[in-house]
Every structure is written in structure tokens, then in C-alpha cells.
Amino acid sequence: MQGLKKIWQEKMVSGALQFVVFIGVVVAVLLAAFVMLVATRTFFKKQSGMVTEAVRTAGYGIAYALSETLPLQDSVNLEFPETPYKNLKVAVNYWGVLEKTAAVAQVKNKKFTRLALVGGYTYPSERPALYLKDNHRPLVVVGHTRIQGKTFLPEAGIKTGNISGHSYYGGALTDGKTGQSTSALPDLPEALSEHLAALSRGHYTWDEKYIVSPKPGQLYGNSFSEETRYIYAPGVLRLQGLKLRGNIAIYSGERIVVDKSTVLKDVLLVAPEIEISDGTRGTFQAIATKSIRAGEQCEFGYPSALVVWENEEQTTGSNTINYSGEDTQQVTNGITVGKGSVLKGVVLFKGAEKENNYTPQVVIDEGVRLYGELYCNQNTELKGKVSGGVYTGNFIAMQAGSIYQNHLYDAVITADELVPEYVGLLMENREKGVAKWLY
């Protein structure tokens, strides 16, 4: 009996010791887990703080580029003496008529890149609906023409007229404040003019290894943080069934033809002549030296741009050009936007002054809606509606076989319908704003 009691007591002591050891192990594991949790949380908090600081610093870089004039095609290092562990580089280049701005921030080992397309911004209260260069002729309004917003007119002013028995059917000739224009349109930035002039002369280069040949039906995209990819053809380049997105520049030595089966987003087209088929939809910038013909019922998303920047060597003393290899077909230099099309962005024509110029360099056809800006230093024929601003040297109305100078017939220009946040064409003395965040 006593032997059994002794064995039982020894077992109790052994069990108690095992329980104590078990509890000790559990407590140790819990303490270790707690320490690891605290350490992990502190680590991720620091990492998160550095990422947040990198994002904030990159945003500061974009804001700095908006407020300062930075050298093109070169990066600027911004220093932070109080926080030497931070580094910020800002680089500005042109992408079409807009600036491509990149801000790369690094906080210790965390890096963040912010990319933006930058354009000109005007406060809504200061936006002009119309700036008509003073050519010593009044503006003549006919039909259901309507101009709403601030207007800058020649010293000769504005009056009503008559075309083929149609007089002016509106009330007040303009709805908004009126100022006097000068003999010149507001200037574009010198750097932008030089950039577009260089393109018009064919001054563009690339590394052969970045030339690509996307397959029809497959999406080909390229980030703006990567090197630009190029598509090039010395002759006519037909874009059919392609889906292209991002940092892609398309060049042709003769002509680019965009079929409606092609989807373009944020890409750049450059050629002497560009044709855009009826029903095409996309968001892109097209820059030509001779002509751009946009078909009917096209839709151009924001921020798109149709630009003709004439090469002065090709335009002296002539209002027309011939397609290469087609001497019998003459086409007037300029931009045409076909009936029923919608464009959100910029239409820009700039060319050498010509004598006896009675043809329009920009034609906005009936039913066209332009949300943005039209800038033409020569003749504009406006039959559609512009929600935004028009800057032009002269208006042309071609009706019933006759040419009417400085006439607006059934045209509508209204600045108030453009969204307050709109960012568009860069001009001298304009603030800069972000048109679109890139990827």
C-alpha cells in the first residue's frame, strides 16, 4: 500500500513539472510571437512610411515641373538638404503638342515614378471663346451663328451679313465681354514651335532595336516609363486591325492611313499626310506636315490632337500639294474633320503666310463637336460647334459657289460648355496643368 502511494506521489510531481514546462514553453512562444509581431509591424510601418514619402515626393516633382521652366530632354536633380536620404529627378519631353513629365522619387530603397501629360491651363473666367486676328476686316455673322464667352475682335468689329438670302437670325451678335485683337495670334511657346518644326523637317531618330511590328488583333502596349517603341515605314503605312496603347510612336515617310478597325490609345502618329477612316475611335495625337483628313462619325477621346505644321520649304508660294506619285490629284494643305465627328482636345494648323489665300486650312464640317481648342494662323471654315476656344487668322465661308471672307455661317462657339478642369494647348503666359496621368 505504501509502495503504491509513493509511486502515485512521484507521478504527481512529474506531471506538475511537465505542466510547468509546458506553460513555460507556451509563454515563451507567445512572447516570441508578440515580439515578432511588434517588430514586423514596426518594419512595415517604416516601409509604408517610406513608400508614402516617395509618392508624396514624386507628386512634388510634378508640381515643380508645372511651375518652373525645365530644360527639355534632360533630367533635373532636386536636392533636400534636410533629408539627404531622399532623391528626386524630374525630366520633361514633348509627346506631340503636350509635355511628357516624369518625376522619379527615391526614399532610401523605395522608388516611385509619377508620369503626366502636361498642357496649358486657363481659368474658366479668363478663357476666350474667340480670338480673331485683326486683318482690318469686320467679322460677319450669318444664319444661326452663336458666340458665347469673351471675344477678341478686329478694330472693325462685328456685323450681320447675308449669304444666299440667309441673314442673321440671332439676337445679340456676341454674348460676353469683348476686347480688341491684334495683328497676331497669341504665341505658342518657342520650344514647342521648334519641336514641331523639327518633326516637319523629318528630324527624328530612334534605336533600331526599339522598332516593333505588332500583330493585328493582339493588344500591344508600352508603358511611358519604358523606352518609346516605334513603328516605321518609308512609304504608305496602313494601320488595320491593330490595338496599340501607350508609349508608341508611328512614323511614315509618306502617308499613314488609319482604318476604323484599329484602336489607338495615347499613341503618336507622324507623317506628311494622315488619313483617318470614317467611324474611327481612339485617343491619339496626329502630326502632319501637309494634310490630315479625318472622316465622318469619328470619335477622338481626350486628350487628342490633330496638328498640321507646314514645312516652310514645301509651302512657299503655294496653297496646294500633290500626293507623292499622283501628280494629277491636288489637295489643299490643312485639316478636315468630317461630318458628325467628335473631338476632345486640340486642332492646330500653323503655316507660312500666303498671298491671295482664299481656301480654308482648317475645315470643321457640319455636325462636328470640338471640345477644346482650335488654333489656325490662316483660314478656318467652321460649320460645326466648338465648346471651348477658337484662335484664327481669318474665317472663310464657302457657300453656293462663292467665297465669303471673315464670315461665320451657322457656326457655334461657346466657352462656357468646356469643363473647368480642361487642360489643352500650351501657349505663352499660360499656366500649366495635368491633362492626363500616365502609366
Side-chain angles (χ1 to χ4, degrees), residues 218-306:
Q218 297 181 2
L219 174 63
Y220 183 87
N222 186 41
S223 170
F224 283 91
S225 62
E226 302 292 335
E227 290 288 341
T228 302
R229 299 302 190 264
Y230 299 92
I231 299 173
Y232 173 74
V236 176
L237 176 59
R238 301 184 183 276
L239 304 179
Q240 293 179 311
L242 296 177
K243 297 180 181 180
L244 305 176
R245 177 178 183 269
N247 190 13
I248 303 168
I250 305 170
Y251 292 93
S252 167
E254 185 177 337
R255 190 189 323 163
I256 295 175
V257 180
V258 182
D259 187 77
K260 72 174 184 179
S261 61
T262 292
V263 179
L264 305 176
K265 185 175 182 181
D266 301 326
V267 305
L268 181 65
L269 311 181
V270 180
E273 302 158 17
I274 298 175
E275 298 178 20
I276 302 169
S277 301
D278 295 349
T280 298
R281 299 181 180 182
T283 302
F284 56 92
Q285 297 187 65
I287 300 176
T289 58
K290 296 179 180 178
S291 65
I292 295 179
R293 303 286 178 253
E296 299 180 0
Q297 305 297 326
C298 295
E299 293 185 14
F300 301 92
Y302 176 79
S304 290
L306 303 180

Coordinates of all heavy atoms in Angstrom, one line a residue, residues 218-306:
Q218 N -4.0 41.6 -81.8 CA -3.4 41.5 -80.4 C -3.1 42.9 -79.9 O -2.6 43.7 -80.6 CB -2.2 40.6 -80.5 CG -2.4 39.2 -80.9 CD -1.1 38.4 -81.0 OE1 -0.1 38.9 -80.7 NE2 -1.2 37.1 -81.4
L219 N -3.4 43.0 -78.6 CA -3.0 44.3 -77.9 C -1.5 44.4 -77.7 O -0.9 43.5 -77.1 CB -3.8 44.4 -76.6 CG -3.4 45.6 -75.7 CD1 -3.8 46.9 -76.4 CD2 -4.1 45.6 -74.4
Y220 N -1.0 45.5 -78.2 CA 0.4 45.8 -77.9 C 0.5 47.1 -77.1 O 0.1 48.1 -77.6 CB 1.2 45.9 -79.2 CG 2.7 46.1 -79.0 CD1 3.6 45.0 -78.8 CD2 3.2 47.4 -78.9 CE1 4.9 45.2 -78.5 CE2 4.6 47.6 -78.6 CZ 5.4 46.5 -78.4 OH 6.8 46.7 -78.2
G221 N 1.0 47.0 -75.9 CA 1.1 48.2 -75.1 C 2.5 48.4 -74.6 O 3.3 47.5 -74.5
N222 N 2.8 49.7 -74.3 CA 4.2 50.0 -73.8 C 4.0 51.1 -72.8 O 3.4 52.2 -73.1 CB 5.1 50.4 -74.9 CG 6.5 50.7 -74.5 OD1 7.0 49.9 -73.7 ND2 7.1 51.7 -75.0
S223 N 4.6 50.9 -71.6 CA 4.5 52.0 -70.5 C 5.3 53.2 -70.9 O 6.4 53.1 -71.5 CB 5.0 51.4 -69.2 OG 5.1 52.4 -68.2
F224 N 4.9 54.3 -70.4 CA 5.6 55.6 -70.6 C 6.9 55.6 -69.7 O 7.7 56.5 -69.9 CB 4.7 56.8 -70.4 CG 3.8 57.0 -71.5 CD1 2.5 56.5 -71.5 CD2 4.2 57.8 -72.6 CE1 1.7 56.7 -72.6 CE2 3.4 58.1 -73.6 CZ 2.1 57.5 -73.6
S225 N 7.0 54.7 -68.8 CA 8.3 54.6 -68.0 C 9.3 53.8 -68.8 O 10.5 53.8 -68.3 CB 8.0 54.0 -66.7 OG 7.5 52.7 -66.8
E226 N 9.0 53.2 -69.9 CA 9.9 52.4 -70.7 C 10.4 53.3 -71.9 O 9.8 54.3 -72.2 CB 9.3 51.1 -71.2 CG 8.8 50.2 -70.1 CD 9.9 49.6 -69.3 OE1 11.0 49.5 -69.8 OE2 9.6 49.3 -68.1
E227 N 11.3 52.8 -72.6 CA 11.8 53.4 -73.9 C 10.7 53.4 -74.9 O 9.9 52.4 -75.0 CB 13.0 52.7 -74.4 CG 14.3 52.9 -73.6 CD 14.8 54.4 -73.7 OE1 14.5 55.1 -74.7 OE2 15.6 54.8 -72.8
T228 N 10.5 54.5 -75.6 CA 9.5 54.5 -76.7 C 9.7 53.4 -77.7 O 10.8 53.2 -78.1 CB 9.5 55.9 -77.4 OG1 9.3 56.9 -76.4 CG2 8.4 56.0 -78.4
R229 N 8.6 52.8 -78.1 CA 8.7 51.8 -79.2 C 8.2 52.5 -80.5 O 7.3 53.4 -80.5 CB 7.8 50.6 -78.9 CG 8.2 49.8 -77.7 CD 9.7 49.3 -77.8 NE 10.0 48.4 -76.7 CZ 10.6 48.7 -75.6 NH1 11.0 50.0 -75.4 NH2 10.9 47.8 -74.7
Y230 N 8.7 52.0 -81.7 CA 8.5 52.7 -82.9 C 7.9 51.7 -84.0 O 8.3 50.6 -84.0 CB 9.7 53.4 -83.5 CG 10.3 54.4 -82.5 CD1 11.3 54.1 -81.6 CD2 9.9 55.7 -82.6 CE1 11.8 55.0 -80.7 CE2 10.4 56.7 -81.7 CZ 11.4 56.3 -80.8 OH 11.9 57.3 -79.9
I231 N 7.0 52.3 -84.8 CA 6.6 51.6 -86.0 C 6.9 52.5 -87.1 O 6.5 53.7 -87.1 CB 5.1 51.3 -85.9 CG1 4.8 50.4 -84.7 CG2 4.6 50.7 -87.2 CD1 3.3 50.2 -84.5
Y232 N 7.6 52.0 -88.2 CA 8.0 52.9 -89.3 C 7.9 52.3 -90.6 O 8.1 51.0 -90.8 CB 9.5 53.3 -89.0 CG 10.1 54.1 -90.2 CD1 9.7 55.4 -90.4 CD2 10.9 53.5 -91.1 CE1 10.2 56.1 -91.5 CE2 11.4 54.2 -92.2 CZ 11.1 55.5 -92.4 OH 11.6 56.2 -93.5
A233 N 7.5 53.1 -91.6 CA 7.5 52.7 -93.0 C 7.9 53.9 -93.9 O 7.4 55.0 -93.6 CB 6.1 52.2 -93.4
P234 N 8.8 53.7 -94.8 CA 9.2 54.8 -95.7 C 8.1 55.2 -96.6 O 8.1 56.4 -97.0 CB 10.4 54.2 -96.4 CG 10.3 52.7 -96.4 CD 9.6 52.4 -95.1
G235 N 7.2 54.3 -97.0 CA 6.1 54.6 -97.9 C 4.8 54.7 -97.1 O 4.8 55.1 -95.9
V236 N 3.7 54.4 -97.8 CA 2.4 54.4 -97.2 C 2.3 53.4 -96.1 O 2.6 52.2 -96.3 CB 1.3 54.2 -98.2 CG1 -0.1 54.2 -97.5 CG2 1.3 55.4 -99.2
L237 N 1.8 53.7 -94.9 CA 1.7 52.8 -93.8 C 0.2 52.7 -93.4 O -0.4 53.7 -93.0 CB 2.5 53.3 -92.6 CG 2.3 52.5 -91.3 CD1 2.8 51.1 -91.5 CD2 3.2 53.2 -90.2
R238 N -0.4 51.5 -93.6 CA -1.8 51.3 -93.3 C -1.9 50.6 -92.0 O -1.4 49.5 -91.8 CB -2.4 50.5 -94.5 CG -2.3 51.2 -95.8 CD -3.1 50.5 -96.9 NE -2.9 51.1 -98.2 CZ -3.6 52.1 -98.6 NH1 -4.6 52.6 -97.9 NH2 -3.4 52.7 -99.8
L239 N -2.7 51.2 -91.1 CA -2.9 50.6 -89.8 C -4.3 49.9 -89.8 O -5.3 50.6 -89.8 CB -2.8 51.6 -88.7 CG -1.5 52.4 -88.6 CD1 -1.6 53.5 -87.5 CD2 -0.3 51.5 -88.4
Q240 N -4.3 48.6 -89.9 CA -5.5 47.8 -89.9 C -5.6 46.7 -88.9 O -4.6 45.9 -88.7 CB -5.7 47.2 -91.3 CG -5.9 48.2 -92.4 CD -6.0 47.5 -93.8 OE1 -5.2 46.6 -94.2 NE2 -7.1 47.9 -94.6
G241 N -6.6 46.7 -88.1 CA -6.8 45.7 -87.1 C -5.9 45.7 -85.9 O -5.8 44.7 -85.2
L242 N -5.1 46.8 -85.7 CA -4.2 46.9 -84.7 C -4.8 47.4 -83.4 O -5.7 48.2 -83.4 CB -3.0 47.7 -85.1 CG -2.1 47.2 -86.3 CD1 -1.1 48.2 -86.6 CD2 -1.5 45.9 -86.0
K243 N -4.2 47.0 -82.3 CA -4.6 47.6 -81.0 C -3.3 48.0 -80.3 O -2.6 47.2 -79.8 CB -5.3 46.5 -80.1 CG -6.6 46.0 -80.7 CD -7.3 45.0 -79.8 CE -8.6 44.5 -80.5 NZ -9.3 43.5 -79.6
L244 N -3.1 49.3 -80.3 CA -1.9 49.9 -79.8 C -2.2 50.8 -78.6 O -3.1 51.7 -78.7 CB -1.2 50.7 -80.9 CG -0.9 49.9 -82.2 CD1 -0.2 50.7 -83.2 CD2 0.0 48.7 -81.9
R245 N -1.4 50.7 -77.6 CA -1.6 51.5 -76.4 C -0.3 52.0 -75.7 O 0.6 51.2 -75.6 CB -2.4 50.7 -75.4 CG -2.7 51.4 -74.0 CD -3.5 50.4 -73.1 NE -3.9 51.0 -71.9 CZ -3.2 51.0 -70.8 NH1 -2.1 50.3 -70.8 NH2 -3.6 51.5 -69.7
G246 N -0.3 53.3 -75.4 CA 0.8 53.8 -74.6 C 2.0 54.4 -75.4 O 1.8 55.1 -76.4
N247 N 3.2 54.2 -75.0 CA 4.4 54.9 -75.4 C 4.9 54.3 -76.8 O 5.9 53.7 -76.8 CB 5.4 54.8 -74.3 CG 6.6 55.7 -74.6 OD1 6.6 56.6 -75.4 ND2 7.7 55.4 -73.8
I248 N 4.1 54.6 -77.8 CA 4.4 54.1 -79.1 C 4.3 55.2 -80.1 O 3.3 55.9 -80.2 CB 3.4 53.0 -79.5 CG1 3.4 51.8 -78.5 CG2 3.7 52.4 -80.9 CD1 2.3 50.8 -78.7
A249 N 5.3 55.4 -80.9 CA 5.3 56.5 -82.0 C 5.3 55.8 -83.3 O 6.1 54.9 -83.6 CB 6.5 57.4 -81.8
I250 N 4.4 56.3 -84.2 CA 4.3 55.6 -85.5 C 4.7 56.7 -86.6 O 4.1 57.8 -86.6 CB 2.8 55.2 -85.7 CG1 2.4 54.2 -84.6 CG2 2.6 54.5 -87.1 CD1 0.9 53.9 -84.5
Y251 N 5.6 56.3 -87.4 CA 6.2 57.3 -88.4 C 6.0 56.7 -89.8 O 6.2 55.5 -90.0 CB 7.6 57.6 -88.2 CG 8.0 58.3 -86.9 CD1 8.2 57.7 -85.7 CD2 8.0 59.7 -86.9 CE1 8.5 58.4 -84.6 CE2 8.2 60.4 -85.8 CZ 8.5 59.8 -84.6 OH 8.8 60.5 -83.5
S252 N 5.8 57.6 -90.8 CA 5.8 57.2 -92.2 C 6.4 58.3 -93.0 O 6.2 59.5 -92.7 CB 4.4 57.0 -92.7 OG 4.4 56.9 -94.1
G253 N 7.2 58.0 -94.0 CA 7.9 59.0 -94.8 C 6.9 59.5 -95.8 O 7.3 60.5 -96.6
E254 N 5.7 59.0 -95.9 CA 4.8 59.4 -97.0 C 3.4 59.7 -96.4 O 2.9 60.8 -96.4 CB 4.7 58.4 -98.1 CG 3.8 58.8 -99.3 CD 3.9 57.8 -100.4 OE1 4.8 57.1 -100.5 OE2 2.9 57.8 -101.2
R255 N 2.7 58.6 -96.0 CA 1.3 58.8 -95.5 C 1.0 57.6 -94.5 O 1.4 56.5 -94.7 CB 0.4 58.7 -96.7 CG -1.0 59.1 -96.4 CD -2.0 58.8 -97.6 NE -1.3 59.1 -98.9 CZ -1.8 58.6 -100.0 NH1 -2.9 57.8 -100.1 NH2 -1.2 58.9 -101.2
I256 N 0.2 58.0 -93.5 CA -0.4 57.0 -92.6 C -1.9 56.9 -92.9 O -2.6 58.0 -92.9 CB -0.1 57.3 -91.2 CG1 1.4 57.3 -90.9 CG2 -0.9 56.4 -90.2 CD1 1.7 57.7 -89.5
V257 N -2.4 55.7 -93.0 CA -3.9 55.5 -93.2 C -4.4 54.7 -92.0 O -3.9 53.6 -91.8 CB -4.2 54.8 -94.5 CG1 -5.7 54.6 -94.6 CG2 -3.7 55.6 -95.7
V258 N -5.3 55.3 -91.2 CA -5.8 54.6 -90.1 C -7.2 54.0 -90.4 O -8.1 54.8 -90.7 CB -5.9 55.6 -88.9 CG1 -6.4 54.8 -87.6 CG2 -4.6 56.2 -88.6
D259 N -7.3 52.7 -90.4 CA -8.6 52.1 -90.6 C -9.4 52.1 -89.3 O -8.9 52.0 -88.2 CB -8.4 50.6 -91.1 CG -9.6 50.0 -91.5 OD1 -10.1 50.3 -92.6 OD2 -10.2 49.2 -90.7
K260 N -10.7 52.0 -89.5 CA -11.6 52.1 -88.3 C -11.5 50.8 -87.4 O -11.9 50.8 -86.3 CB -13.0 52.3 -88.7 CG -13.7 51.1 -89.3 CD -15.2 51.5 -89.6 CE -16.0 50.3 -90.1 NZ -17.4 50.6 -90.3
S261 N -10.9 49.8 -88.0 CA -10.7 48.5 -87.2 C -9.5 48.6 -86.3 O -9.3 47.8 -85.4 CB -10.4 47.3 -88.2 OG -9.2 47.6 -89.0
T262 N -8.7 49.7 -86.4 CA -7.6 49.9 -85.5 C -8.0 50.8 -84.3 O -8.7 51.7 -84.4 CB -6.5 50.7 -86.3 OG1 -5.9 49.8 -87.3 CG2 -5.3 51.1 -85.3
V263 N -7.5 50.4 -83.1 CA -7.8 51.1 -81.9 C -6.5 51.6 -81.3 O -5.5 50.9 -81.1 CB -8.4 50.1 -80.8 CG1 -8.7 50.9 -79.5 CG2 -9.7 49.5 -81.3
L264 N -6.4 52.9 -81.2 CA -5.2 53.6 -80.8 C -5.5 54.4 -79.5 O -6.5 55.1 -79.4 CB -4.7 54.6 -81.8 CG -4.5 54.1 -83.2 CD1 -4.1 55.2 -84.2 CD2 -3.4 53.0 -83.2
K265 N -4.6 54.2 -78.5 CA -4.8 54.9 -77.2 C -3.5 55.5 -76.8 O -2.5 54.8 -76.5 CB -5.3 54.0 -76.1 CG -5.6 54.7 -74.8 CD -6.2 53.8 -73.8 CE -6.6 54.6 -72.5 NZ -7.2 53.7 -71.5
D266 N -3.4 56.8 -76.7 CA -2.3 57.6 -76.3 C -1.0 57.5 -77.1 O 0.1 58.0 -76.7 CB -1.9 57.2 -74.8 CG -3.0 57.4 -73.9 OD1 -3.8 58.4 -74.0 OD2 -3.2 56.6 -72.9
V267 N -1.2 57.0 -78.4 CA 0.0 56.8 -79.2 C 0.2 58.1 -80.1 O -0.7 59.0 -80.1 CB -0.1 55.6 -80.2 CG1 -0.4 54.4 -79.4 CG2 -1.3 55.8 -81.2
L268 N 1.3 58.2 -80.8 CA 1.6 59.4 -81.6 C 1.8 59.0 -83.0 O 2.5 58.0 -83.3 CB 2.9 60.0 -81.0 CG 3.5 61.2 -81.7 CD1 2.5 62.4 -81.5 CD2 4.8 61.6 -81.1
L269 N 1.2 59.7 -84.0 CA 1.3 59.5 -85.4 C 2.1 60.7 -86.0 O 1.7 61.8 -85.7 CB 0.0 59.3 -86.1 CG -1.0 58.3 -85.5 CD1 -2.3 58.3 -86.4 CD2 -0.4 56.9 -85.4
V270 N 3.1 60.4 -86.9 CA 3.8 61.5 -87.5 C 4.0 61.1 -89.0 O 4.6 60.0 -89.3 CB 5.2 61.8 -86.9 CG1 5.9 62.9 -87.6 CG2 5.0 62.1 -85.4
A271 N 3.6 61.9 -89.9 CA 3.8 61.7 -91.3 C 3.4 63.0 -92.1 O 2.8 63.9 -91.6 CB 2.8 60.5 -91.8
P272 N 3.9 63.1 -93.4 CA 3.5 64.2 -94.2 C 1.9 64.3 -94.3 O 1.4 65.4 -94.3 CB 4.2 64.0 -95.5 CG 5.4 63.1 -95.2 CD 4.9 62.2 -94.1
E273 N 1.3 63.2 -94.6 CA -0.1 63.1 -94.7 C -0.7 62.0 -93.9 O -0.2 60.9 -93.8 CB -0.5 62.9 -96.2 CG 0.1 63.9 -97.2 CD 0.2 63.4 -98.6 OE1 -0.5 62.3 -98.9 OE2 0.9 64.0 -99.4
I274 N -1.9 62.3 -93.3 CA -2.5 61.3 -92.4 C -4.0 61.2 -92.8 O -4.7 62.3 -92.9 CB -2.4 61.6 -90.9 CG1 -0.9 61.6 -90.5 CG2 -3.2 60.7 -90.1 CD1 -0.6 62.1 -89.1
E275 N -4.5 60.0 -93.1 CA -5.9 59.8 -93.4 C -6.5 59.0 -92.3 O -6.0 57.9 -91.9 CB -6.1 59.1 -94.7 CG -5.6 59.9 -95.9 CD -5.7 59.2 -97.2 OE1 -6.6 58.3 -97.2 OE2 -5.0 59.5 -98.2
I276 N -7.7 59.4 -91.8 CA -8.4 58.7 -90.7 C -9.8 58.3 -91.2 O -10.6 59.1 -91.6 CB -8.5 59.5 -89.4 CG1 -7.1 60.0 -89.0 CG2 -9.2 58.8 -88.3 CD1 -7.1 61.0 -87.9
S277 N -10.0 57.0 -91.3 CA -11.2 56.5 -91.9 C -12.5 56.8 -91.1 O -12.4 57.1 -89.9 CB -11.1 55.0 -92.1 OG -10.0 54.6 -92.9
D278 N -13.6 56.8 -91.9 CA -14.9 57.1 -91.2 C -15.1 56.1 -90.1 O -14.8 54.9 -90.2 CB -16.1 56.8 -92.2 CG -16.1 57.9 -93.3 OD1 -15.3 58.9 -93.2 OD2 -16.8 57.7 -94.3
G279 N -15.7 56.6 -89.0 CA -16.0 55.7 -87.8 C -14.9 55.3 -86.9 O -15.0 54.5 -86.0
T280 N -13.7 55.9 -87.1 CA -12.5 55.5 -86.3 C -12.7 56.1 -84.9 O -13.2 57.2 -84.7 CB -11.2 56.1 -86.9 OG1 -11.0 55.5 -88.2 CG2 -10.0 55.9 -86.0
R281 N -12.3 55.3 -83.9 CA -12.4 55.7 -82.5 C -11.1 55.5 -81.8 O -10.5 54.4 -82.0 CB -13.6 55.0 -81.8 CG -14.9 55.2 -82.4 CD -16.0 54.4 -81.6 NE -17.3 54.6 -82.2 CZ -18.4 54.1 -81.7 NH1 -18.4 53.3 -80.7 NH2 -19.6 54.4 -82.3
G282 N -10.7 56.5 -81.0 CA -9.4 56.3 -80.3 C -9.0 57.6 -79.6 O -9.7 58.6 -79.7
T283 N -7.9 57.5 -78.9 CA -7.3 58.7 -78.3 C -5.9 58.8 -78.7 O -5.1 57.9 -78.3 CB -7.4 58.6 -76.7 OG1 -8.8 58.5 -76.4 CG2 -6.8 59.8 -76.1
F284 N -5.5 59.7 -79.6 CA -4.2 59.8 -80.1 C -3.9 61.2 -80.6 O -4.8 62.0 -80.8 CB -3.9 58.8 -81.1 CG -4.9 58.8 -82.3 CD1 -4.5 59.6 -83.4 CD2 -6.0 58.1 -82.3 CE1 -5.4 59.6 -84.5 CE2 -6.9 58.2 -83.4 CZ -6.6 58.9 -84.5
Q285 N -2.6 61.5 -80.8 CA -2.2 62.7 -81.5 C -1.6 62.4 -82.8 O -0.8 61.5 -83.0 CB -1.1 63.4 -80.6 CG -1.6 63.8 -79.2 CD -0.6 64.6 -78.5 OE1 -0.2 65.7 -78.9 NE2 -0.1 64.1 -77.4
A286 N -2.1 63.2 -83.8 CA -1.6 63.0 -85.2 C -1.0 64.3 -85.7 O -1.6 65.4 -85.6 CB -2.8 62.7 -86.1
I287 N 0.3 64.2 -86.1 CA 1.0 65.4 -86.5 C 1.5 65.2 -88.0 O 2.2 64.2 -88.3 CB 2.3 65.6 -85.7 CG1 1.8 65.8 -84.2 CG2 3.1 66.8 -86.1 CD1 3.0 66.0 -83.2
A288 N 1.1 66.1 -88.9 CA 1.4 66.0 -90.3 C 2.1 67.3 -90.7 O 1.9 68.4 -90.1 CB 0.2 65.7 -91.1
T289 N 2.7 67.2 -91.9 CA 3.3 68.4 -92.5 C 2.5 69.0 -93.6 O 2.7 70.1 -94.1 CB 4.8 68.1 -92.9 OG1 4.7 67.1 -93.9 CG2 5.6 67.7 -91.8
K290 N 1.6 68.2 -94.1 CA 0.8 68.6 -95.3 C -0.7 68.6 -95.0 O -1.4 69.6 -95.0 CB 1.1 67.7 -96.5 CG 2.5 67.8 -97.0 CD 2.7 66.9 -98.2 CE 4.2 67.0 -98.7 NZ 4.4 66.1 -99.9
S291 N -1.2 67.4 -94.7 CA -2.7 67.3 -94.5 C -3.1 66.2 -93.5 O -2.4 65.2 -93.4 CB -3.4 67.1 -95.9 OG -3.0 65.8 -96.4
I292 N -4.2 66.5 -92.9 CA -4.9 65.4 -92.1 C -6.4 65.4 -92.5 O -7.0 66.5 -92.5 CB -4.8 65.7 -90.6 CG1 -3.4 65.6 -90.1 CG2 -5.7 64.7 -89.8 CD1 -3.2 65.9 -88.6
R293 N -6.9 64.3 -92.9 CA -8.2 64.1 -93.3 C -8.9 63.1 -92.3 O -8.7 61.9 -92.4 CB -8.4 63.6 -94.7 CG -7.6 64.5 -95.8 CD -8.4 65.8 -96.0 NE -7.7 66.7 -97.0 CZ -7.1 67.8 -96.6 NH1 -7.1 68.1 -95.3 NH2 -6.5 68.5 -97.5
A294 N -9.7 63.6 -91.4 CA -10.5 62.8 -90.5 C -11.9 62.6 -91.1 O -12.5 63.5 -91.5 CB -10.6 63.4 -89.1
G295 N -12.3 61.3 -91.2 CA -13.6 61.0 -91.8 C -14.8 61.4 -91.0 O -14.7 62.1 -90.0
E296 N -15.9 60.9 -91.4 CA -17.2 61.2 -90.7 C -17.4 60.2 -89.6 O -16.9 59.1 -89.6 CB -18.3 61.1 -91.7 CG -18.2 62.1 -92.9 CD -19.4 62.0 -93.8 OE1 -20.3 61.1 -93.6 OE2 -19.4 62.7 -94.8
Q297 N -18.1 60.7 -88.6 CA -18.5 59.9 -87.4 C -17.4 59.3 -86.7 O -17.4 58.2 -86.1 CB -19.5 58.8 -87.8 CG -20.7 59.3 -88.6 CD -21.6 60.2 -87.8 OE1 -21.7 60.0 -86.6 NE2 -22.2 61.2 -88.4
C298 N -16.2 60.0 -86.6 CA -15.1 59.6 -85.8 C -15.2 60.1 -84.4 O -15.9 61.1 -84.1 CB -13.8 60.1 -86.4 SG -13.4 59.5 -88.0
E299 N -14.6 59.4 -83.5 CA -14.6 59.9 -82.1 C -13.2 59.9 -81.5 O -12.5 58.8 -81.5 CB -15.5 58.9 -81.2 CG -17.0 59.0 -81.5 CD -17.8 58.2 -80.6 OE1 -17.3 57.7 -79.5 OE2 -19.0 57.9 -80.9
F300 N -12.7 61.1 -81.2 CA -11.4 61.2 -80.6 C -11.5 61.6 -79.2 O -12.0 62.6 -78.8 CB -10.6 62.3 -81.4 CG -10.5 62.1 -82.9 CD1 -11.5 62.6 -83.7 CD2 -9.5 61.4 -83.4 CE1 -11.4 62.4 -85.1 CE2 -9.3 61.1 -84.7 CZ -10.3 61.6 -85.6
G301 N -11.0 60.7 -78.3 CA -11.1 60.9 -76.8 C -10.1 61.9 -76.4 O -9.1 62.3 -77.1
Y302 N -10.2 62.4 -75.1 CA -9.3 63.4 -74.5 C -8.1 62.7 -73.9 O -8.3 61.7 -73.2 CB -10.1 64.1 -73.5 CG -9.3 65.1 -72.7 CD1 -9.0 66.4 -73.3 CD2 -8.8 64.8 -71.4 CE1 -8.2 67.3 -72.6 CE2 -8.0 65.7 -70.7 CZ -7.7 67.0 -71.3 OH -7.0 67.9 -70.6
P303 N -6.9 63.2 -74.1 CA -6.6 64.4 -74.9 C -6.0 64.0 -76.3 O -4.9 63.5 -76.4 CB -5.5 65.1 -74.1 CG -4.8 63.9 -73.4 CD -5.8 62.8 -73.2
S304 N -6.8 64.3 -77.3 CA -6.3 64.0 -78.7 C -5.9 65.3 -79.4 O -6.2 66.4 -78.9 CB -7.5 63.4 -79.5 OG -7.7 62.0 -79.1
A305 N -5.2 65.2 -80.5 CA -4.8 66.4 -81.2 C -4.6 66.1 -82.7 O -4.0 65.0 -83.0 CB -3.4 66.9 -80.6
L306 N -5.1 66.9 -83.5 CA -4.8 66.9 -85.0 C -4.0 68.1 -85.3 O -4.5 69.2 -85.1 CB -6.1 66.9 -85.7 CG -7.1 65.7 -85.4 CD1 -8.4 65.8 -86.3 CD2 -6.5 64.4 -85.6

